[in-house]
Amino acid sequence: MTQAPRSVGLVAPLDMAFHEPLALKSGALMPAYTLRYETYGELNATRSNAILVCHALNASHHVAGWYEGDERNVGWWDNLIGPGKPVDTEQFFVVGVNNLGGCHGSTGPASVNPATGRPWGASFPVVTVEDWVEAQARLATRLGIERFAAVIGGSLGGMQALQWAVAHPGRVGLSIVVAAAPKLSAQNIAFNEVARQAITTDPDFHGGDYYAHGVVPRRGLRLARMLGHITYLSDDAMAEKFGRELREGKLKFGFDVDFQIESYLRHQGDKFSGYFDANTYLRITKALDYFDPALAHGGNLAAALAGARARFLVVSFTSDWRFSPARSREIVKALLDTRREVTYAEIDAPHGHDAFLMDDARYHALIRATLDQVPA
Amino acid sequence: MSAALPRRPDFDAIAAWVKPGAHVLDLGCGDGSLLRFLREARQATGYGVDIADDNVLACARNGVNVIQSDLEAGLNVFETGSFDYVILSQTLQAMKHTERIVKEILRVGREGIVSFPNFGYWRVRAQLMAGRMPVSSELPYQWYDTPNIHLFTIADFEGFCRGHGVRILDRVVLTAGRSVSAAHNLLGAMAVYRLDRCGGGAPVQP
């Protein structure tokens, strides 16, 4: 039964509380925590049709649909997920989850630490991709999902999809790894470090315990977001969208906004610093920096992936310079070397890293075709 | 889920050579129908390689693993000796770097399987004699829209092998799907070869 693609419509987030301590990779222990999540579609009788969507840096559990009274707050991957869409919620039960340490409802640095009665702030542990996957796995178990038909993510979300196949080979049928990398390059880490420095040197940061002071390190967050945004777009996409266009049609010989690109970055920075938690930003960039599944195998990625049992779909975009196609090919090569089931597509798209969020017909058709082969 | 796929005449010849359970790389795999055929007929595993977006999508629809990559750039992503067979079916004549790809096939595969339309086939010759570029079921293009840039004959290919350290292990010559037993270069519309490197196959993967 084929229907025209539509939205999942009105959705509402749910919370799941966990009281069993979670041992983190850092050695710290999360005594108890809550994960905020959303689901779309119906879990079938055999519980075999679940798909987990992993989010990247600034996104959340709100993957598709909209909230009551806030219809403009559309889920971040709504173009991909819904009835009749490539990830078809008529067929699949889709789960989106805000990661541990996040700032969209799951326990994070802004949450109150029950042990002290104050926000965790600086004392919230550093979390890793491995920790997130363990927390997601516990949520899956509580939802009655022994095995995901697929785990999908872009960028940092793609790293989680990869980690799922490594850490829980029996619990994932298909791993869709989009615009990701097997580990960050020195350049990637360098960008993250500048972003973190922008935050931690903001006078309003207060060592991470800014909540008590009633302020947020807004200027630092704003700079971090502006810097990040530059890396999400290709040179061509930026030239196409803004070029050297002037906001007021003439040079002003001052240091306020001359060019449209400046205005755009400031707007993005302002918007972001209004809702995102700086401590979460620090932790997510660290999770990116630390991700390196090959490290435990002497740097041999093929050895790290040898235990995976999932099929893989790896997708990259030609104009992505943050995680270029060459980085995806490292993942593909490791999977080929160890004879895993893998399909690799290199989509010729102009948008840069952000292409994974775009409605590109070739990219979406490939995800649809791959999921059509999944026995749900 | 998809209907039975069209089977090209060289598929049976190729399948007859492929040992059960072999690990196979199909270069220029198109919609993946050969790999799917080998999986069903020979329980073969492996991957296709294709550059075209529509072929990558068609492979995904056929449930065939495919790596989107440009063959002209070589096979760097594949380790030496990592496949039992590397197949180049009806693709060699469309490649720019002929010597490089044959060398790469025999590096990555223990054996190579190459099929191509024979430009020495008498019907092809007859069309040329009549003063026109040949069009046939093996060469279904007009001169102006053909992807084929290096057309050659059975005699040309065997001369190439002799000159490039390539050993011919097996050969099947076909016309209208039937085996040709004499005057191959004249009566054969298509040829399929099984090859390795002179002095044995590719070095075994360490």
Side-chain angles (χ1 to χ4, degrees), chain A residues 109 119-124 196-213 215-217 277-279 282-283:
Chain A
W120 282 89
S123 68
F124 195 89
R196 283 190 295 266
Q197 285 285 314
I199 291 168
T200 56
T201 59
D202 185 320
D204 285 336
F205 183 62
H206 296 287
D209 291 316
Y210 44 86
Y211 313 102
H213 296 79
V215 292
V216 293
D277 182 64
N279 279 318
L282 295 179
R283 278 154 188 78

Side-chain angles (χ1 to χ4, degrees), chain A residues 52-376:
Chain A
L52 177 68
V53 181
C54 303
H55 69 76
L57 209 159
N58 65 313
S60 71
H61 55 281
H62 184 37
V63 180
W66 62 78
Y67 293 147
E68 185 153 28
D70 191 8
E71 298 194 352
R72 285 169 58 182
N73 186 359
V74 174
W76 59 272
W77 224 348
D78 191 78
N79 62 20
L80 186 76
I81 297 158
K85 291 183 180 177
V87 178
D88 190 348
T89 52
E90 304 267 291
Q91 199 185 340
F92 293 105
F93 177 68
V94 178
V95 181
V97 55
N98 185 213
N99 282 326
L100 186 64
C103 55
H104 290 94
S106 292
T107 300
S111 310
V112 171
N113 180 354
T116 63
R118 291 194 306 275
W120 282 89
S123 68
F124 195 89
V126 169
V127 283
T128 62
V129 169
E130 291 92 325
D131 298 332
W132 288 336
V133 166
E134 288 317 300
Q136 291 161 0
R138 287 185 175 189
L139 175 67
T141 301
R142 291 275 290 276
L143 293 174
I145 301 161
E146 178 45 39
R147 181 177 186 271
F148 282 108
V151 177
I152 179 171
S155 190
L156 176 56
M159 293 172 172
Q160 292 161 60
L162 193 62
Q163 177 63 23
W164 258 95
V166 170
H168 297 286
R171 297 192 70 179
V172 52
L174 168 70
S175 170
I176 303 182
V177 180
V178 184
K183 62 181 180 223
L184 260 56
S185 67
Q187 187 192 49
N188 296 146
I189 295 170
F191 277 115
N192 283 345
E193 172 58 6
V194 175
R196 283 190 295 266
Q197 285 285 314
I199 291 168
T200 56
T201 59
D202 185 320
D204 285 336
F205 183 62
H206 296 287
D209 291 316
Y210 44 86
Y211 313 102
H213 296 79
V215 292
V216 293
R218 192 178 287 268
R219 283 162 294 181
L221 257 178
R222 185 168 176 269
L223 280 176
R225 180 59 170 173
M226 287 168 79
L227 179 70
H229 223 89
I230 297 169
T231 71
Y232 304 150
L233 299 176
S234 68
D235 193 16
D236 284 349
M238 235 185 230
E240 168 87 7
K241 199 166 175 182
F242 307 104
R244 291 178 55 87
E245 202 180 318
L246 298 168
R247 196 171 64 163
E248 291 173 22
K250 60 174 199 284
L251 298 177
K252 295 195 298 187
F253 298 94
F255 299 97
D256 204 350
V257 168
D258 279 312
F259 296 95
Q260 284 292 10
I261 181 64
E262 297 172 298
S263 170
Y264 172 78
L265 287 177
R266 289 180 187 203
H267 171 71
Q268 291 295 333
D270 287 340
K271 203 169 68 171
F272 186 72
S273 63
Y275 74 85
F276 207 86
D277 182 64
N279 279 318
T280 290
Y281 200 92
L282 295 179
R283 278 154 188 78
I284 292 184
T285 57
K286 272 291 173 193
L288 273 161
D289 291 359
Y290 287 176
F291 182 67
D292 183 6
L295 188 64
H297 299 266
N300 184 339
L301 186 61
L305 297 175
R309 292 289 167 269
R311 297 177 62 93
F312 290 83
L313 172 63
V314 180
V315 180
S316 71
F317 301 94
T318 50
S319 58
D320 182 354
W321 60 276
R322 186 185 172 94
F323 293 148
S324 71
R327 307 307 314 281
S328 283
R329 283 197 295 265
E330 290 174 34
I331 299 171
V332 172
K333 181 168 191 334
L335 292 168
L336 292 170
D337 286 352
T338 185
R339 298 193 174 189
R340 301 301 94 192
E341 301 270 348
V342 55
T343 279
Y344 171 59
E346 204 166 292
I347 309 282
D348 185 11
H351 312 100
H353 188 58
D354 266 357
F356 87 86
L357 295 167
M358 305 287 174
D359 188 359
D360 180 290
R362 291 158 300 174
Y363 162 47
H364 278 190
L366 189 64
I367 289 180
R368 183 190 294 274
T370 305
L371 287 175
D372 276 348
Q373 297 287 324
V374 171

Side-chain angles (χ1 to χ4, degrees), chain B residues 29-33 48 50 54-66:
Chain B
C29 63
D31 65 4
S33 46
D50 212 290
D54 53 348
N55 285 334
V56 171
L57 180 59
C59 284
R61 288 188 174 135
N62 279 325
V64 168
N65 295 319
V66 58

